[in-house]
Amino acid sequence: MSQSTRWFYAHCSVLRAGAVIDRLLANRRVVQLMAAHCVSKVELSISCSNLLDKDVGSKSDPLCVLLQSVGDDKWSEVERTERVKNCQDPEFSTKLHIDYHFEKVQKLKFGVYDIDNKSVDLKDDDFLGGFECTLGQVCTEKSITAEEVKDNRAVVMEVEAKNLDKKDMFGKSDPFLEFFKQEEDGKWQLVHRTEVIKNNLNPSWKKFMVSLHTFCSGDLNKPIKVSKGFYVQSDVEFDCIHPEKQKKKKSYKNSGVIRIKYCKLEAQYSFLDYVMGGCQINFTVGIDFTGSNGDPRSPDSLHYLSPNGVNQYLSAIWSVGQVVQDYDTDKLFPAFGFGAQVPPNFQVSHEFPLNFNPNSPYCQGVQGIVDAYRMVLPQIRLYGPTNFSPIINHVTRIASGAAQQPNAAQYFVLLIITDGEITDLDQTRQAIVNGSKLPMSIIIVGVGEADFKAMEFLDGDNGVLKSVTGEPVARDIVQFVPFKQFASAPKEALAQSVLAEVPNQLVSYFKMRNMAPVNPPSPVK
């Protein structure tokens, strides 16, 4: 970077927006629920150094503008800082804000101008320097510091009760707990409701976690009200509203004892905490080269390269790969094919490297994957069957090694592109169940017009995916989308859809393992 553009330094802070979801009417009460998570915003603090001096007799009066790409080499202004007079090393007090979306490649352009007039048009101002990058690079670049501006603590609590009164005429009571925090206007807002335990006078409710912001607005001295399905005499206030029953208020004494078995404040980390804290996202591609795709030399084939050198397979690779590559420092991506006869003996392989180098199946960046695909296509014979489990098991073996490490340093994303006619469904189910216990996600993009019912089954959105033996997945790790739904959509739309679940999947794994980021942020209290 030249001296004229050695000006860029950004400090990003992520602001979590809360939102009122709904008003629920239950037992003639209106309870306002708040969502702890809505959208992430990145706040950039900009400073410059060694700016050019374009003014005569004084120093430049710099201003920084943030632009975002809208495609086709067009840029839209997001925000701009204030103008700092007579300064070559400004530190702008106005923060720049932009919505953060993991599933998008958000191209940014920063421009610094010497402002000598009152016009908002920058065309007549001197350009002092510029910098282009993606928002993903801003969030992961080691030279750029970042922190989340929120209280990332959560309260973890486990509660039980003993010797509760029998309130039902037939059978025992069905107790539950509700927790409320008091708002500034004195009103009580529901923050958590436990499960209902049927016919039990000595219930022990499941351990639960609620963000401290939601639970008490981060104020440990804020009053908390606990309600049950019936009155219990205690040192806290109880209501008598049950989600399934409405009873007339009565007063009871010595109705039992409530005991807090466990209560602890724990850090609650977000996706950005992990990636900013040093977690690498490793990208692997698996490409379907089975005969059902059609002869690559025929225009009807899904592997046919159009005159401009693209097809649905390459479009999917570009779309997803360009997002993920920002989160992998070495940009070396393993790429495999399956279901083809490969040279020199032309035996069927369900796990062959696109570069024909089993000892080093890595491609340099997304362009390297594209080049390897174009190179291998005329050298193989499309065959079959369509087996997913070998390529999934390949990634699970690598992820298993990472899972042995005592930190949240590695996560794996496998992209499988297929025409949808899977033949080893049972083995694939088992491979996914195994992978759900490991730091990995699986993205499946279906190309062509085939029946993708098997893919939708693997996605598990309509129920918990189980292996043939009945073992359920530990967490949801599969996301499937058919390419044809995005044929006329903007090129970024496919990546937005297939990658939208990855952040939550990553967090769910490390939360399941009780792992903090490698370099966790300092708690904001």
Side-chain angles (χ1 to χ4, degrees):
M1 187 182 296
S2 66
Q3 183 176 2
S4 64
T5 58
R6 278 194 302 106
W7 56 271
F8 176 80
Y9 174 87
H11 177 89
C12 3
S13 308
V14 180
L15 306 176
R16 192 70 64 194
V20 176
I21 292 182
D22 203 352
R23 285 184 176 267
L24 303 179
L25 182 62
N27 297 312
R28 299 181 182 177
R29 284 192 314 170
V30 178
V31 180
Q32 193 177 56
L33 301 178
M34 300 294 292
H37 171 79
C38 180
V39 65
S40 294
K41 282 188 177 294
V42 175
E43 181 179 87
L44 301 173
S45 298
I46 308 297
S47 63
C48 308
S49 61
N50 301 324
L51 292 178
L52 294 176
D53 186 3
K54 291 295 185 87
D55 288 349
V56 177
S58 66
K59 297 180 180 179
S60 296
D61 304 326
L63 169 151
C64 181
V65 60
L66 171 62
L67 307 172
Q68 184 172 13
S69 173
V70 294
D72 298 324
D73 293 324
K74 296 180 180 179
W75 298 84
S76 174
E77 180 175 335
V78 180
E79 285 185 341
R80 61 176 67 184
T81 68
E82 80 280 13
R83 181 182 64 160
V84 179
K85 293 185 177 181
N86 298 320
C87 185
Q88 290 179 274
D89 302 288
E91 183 172 357
F92 300 100
S93 62
T94 301
K95 312 301 181 183
L96 304 179
H97 302 88
I98 186 171
D99 289 342
Y100 172 86
H101 300 279
F102 167 77
E103 63 272 17
K104 293 182 182 180
V105 176
Q106 294 174 262
K107 296 180 180 179
L108 307 179
K109 179 188 291 185
F110 297 84
V112 175
Y113 294 83
D114 177 20
I115 307 298
D116 291 320
N117 55 58
K118 296 182 179 180
S119 171
V120 296
D121 191 350
L122 298 174
K123 293 180 180 179
D124 55 356
D125 297 307
D126 292 324
F127 180 70
L128 301 180
F131 183 81
E132 292 187 23
C133 63
T134 67
L135 188 53
Q137 290 170 332
V138 170
C139 292
T140 57
E141 178 59 45
K142 299 301 182 184
S143 63
I144 300 174
T145 58
E147 63 179 355
E148 281 207 359
V149 181
K150 69 184 183 78
D151 191 328
N152 66 350
R153 296 173 297 169
V155 59
V156 182
M157 190 176 294
E158 187 175 5
V159 184
E160 68 178 3
K162 296 291 185 183
N163 303 319
L164 296 180
D165 275 354
K166 178 182 176 182
K167 304 300 181 187
D168 290 349
M169 182 176 298
F170 301 101
K172 299 179 181 179
S173 299
D174 305 332
F176 71 101
L177 291 180
E178 289 181 331
F179 294 79
F180 296 82
K181 69 178 177 182
Q182 192 170 30
E183 299 288 9
E184 297 298 328
D185 58 4
K187 295 181 179 179
W188 295 94
Q189 183 186 60
L190 179 67
V191 295
H192 180 73
R193 177 185 290 124
T194 68
E195 75 278 12
V196 175
I197 298 181
K198 296 286 188 178
N199 299 316
N200 196 325
L201 300 182
N202 298 284
S204 180
W205 290 278
K206 294 179 181 178
K207 184 181 293 186
F208 63 89
M209 174 185 287
V210 182
S211 75
L212 199 63
H213 174 78
T214 298
F215 195 74
C216 60
S217 301
D219 181 0
L220 299 180
N221 296 315
K222 182 180 284 292
I224 298 295
K225 182 172 72 171
V226 184
S227 299
K228 290 179 87 298
F230 46 85
Y231 283 111
V232 177
Q233 185 66 29
S234 180
D235 58 352
V236 292
E237 183 180 358
F238 291 98
D239 275 338
C240 130
I241 296 179
H242 190 290
E244 300 171 359
K245 305 172 183 178
Q246 182 177 357
K247 296 175 179 280
K248 184 179 180 181
K249 285 192 174 184
K250 296 180 180 179
S251 181
Y252 293 92
K253 294 183 179 180
N254 300 321
S255 296
V257 177
I258 291 179
R259 186 173 75 92
I260 297 178
K261 298 170 60 178
Y262 180 91
C263 185
K264 183 180 179 181
L265 290 181
E266 295 183 359
Q268 191 176 44
Y269 299 110
S270 69
F271 171 74
L272 287 179
D273 283 329
Y274 285 104
V275 297
M276 291 178 183
C279 182
Q280 291 288 304
I281 299 181
N282 303 279
F283 181 47
T284 302
V285 176
I287 300 176
D288 183 345
F289 287 108
T290 56
S292 56
N293 284 278
D295 187 342
R297 296 168 294 182
S298 168
D300 296 329
S301 171
L302 294 171
H303 281 293
Y304 176 75
L305 294 175
S306 65
N308 59 355
V310 298
N311 57 30
Q312 291 186 20
Y313 280 90
L314 289 179
S315 296
I317 292 171
W318 271 116
S319 180
V320 178
Q322 282 190 307
V323 174
V324 177
Q325 69 176 354
D326 281 341
Y327 302 87
D328 190 318
T329 54
D330 62 16
K331 305 293 188 291
L332 293 175
F333 305 131
F336 298 89
F338 58 90
Q341 295 175 323
V342 299
N345 299 323
F346 289 96
Q347 294 181 335
V348 177
S349 174
H350 299 290
E351 186 189 336
F352 63 91
L354 294 189
N355 62 4
F356 292 137
N357 186 350
N359 295 322
S360 182
Y362 303 99
C363 299
Q364 182 64 55
V366 180
Q367 184 61 55
I369 300 175
V370 172
D371 293 342
Y373 170 84
R374 289 172 173 162
M375 179 273 296
V376 77
L377 192 57
Q379 301 185 55
I380 59 175
R381 299 171 185 170
L382 274 61
Y383 203 72
T386 307
N387 293 344
F388 281 11
S389 59
I391 186 67
I392 296 177
N393 289 331
H394 175 93
V395 177
T396 57
R397 287 193 295 271
I398 301 174
S400 295
Q404 303 306 312
Q405 302 301 316
N407 54 36
Q410 301 285 332
Y411 195 83
F412 299 83
V413 175
L414 169 62
L415 169 65
I416 298 177
I417 314 172
T418 179
D419 70 350
E421 298 181 10
I422 185 173
T423 53
D424 67 336
L425 183 60
D426 291 346
Q427 294 87 340
T428 296
R429 289 164 63 185
Q430 184 63 59
I432 292 172
V433 169
N434 295 340
S436 69
K437 308 167 190 174
L438 300 170
M440 63 179 289
S441 294
I442 301 171
I443 297 167
I444 304 175
V445 176
V447 297
E449 301 296 328
D451 183 357
F452 292 115
K453 288 183 179 179
M455 303 299 105
E456 294 169 351
F457 172 74
L458 295 176
D459 193 318
D461 284 346
N462 297 322
V464 177
L465 179 69
K466 297 180 179 179
S467 68
V468 178
T469 60
E471 181 184 6
V473 291
R475 58 195 181 88
D476 179 20
I477 64 169
V478 178
Q479 172 74 349
F480 165 75
V481 296
F483 188 90
K484 61 184 178 183
Q485 291 185 357
F486 301 90
S488 58
K491 58 183 180 181
E492 298 87 0
L494 176 65
Q496 293 176 32
S497 178
V498 299
L499 292 174
E501 294 185 10
V502 170
N504 286 337
Q505 290 171 356
L506 181 149
V507 171
S508 71
Y509 172 76
F510 291 123
K511 183 177 180 180
M512 180 178 70
R513 293 288 309 277
N514 196 28
M515 287 184 172
V518 176
N519 298 300
S522 300
V524 180
K525 301 181 181 180

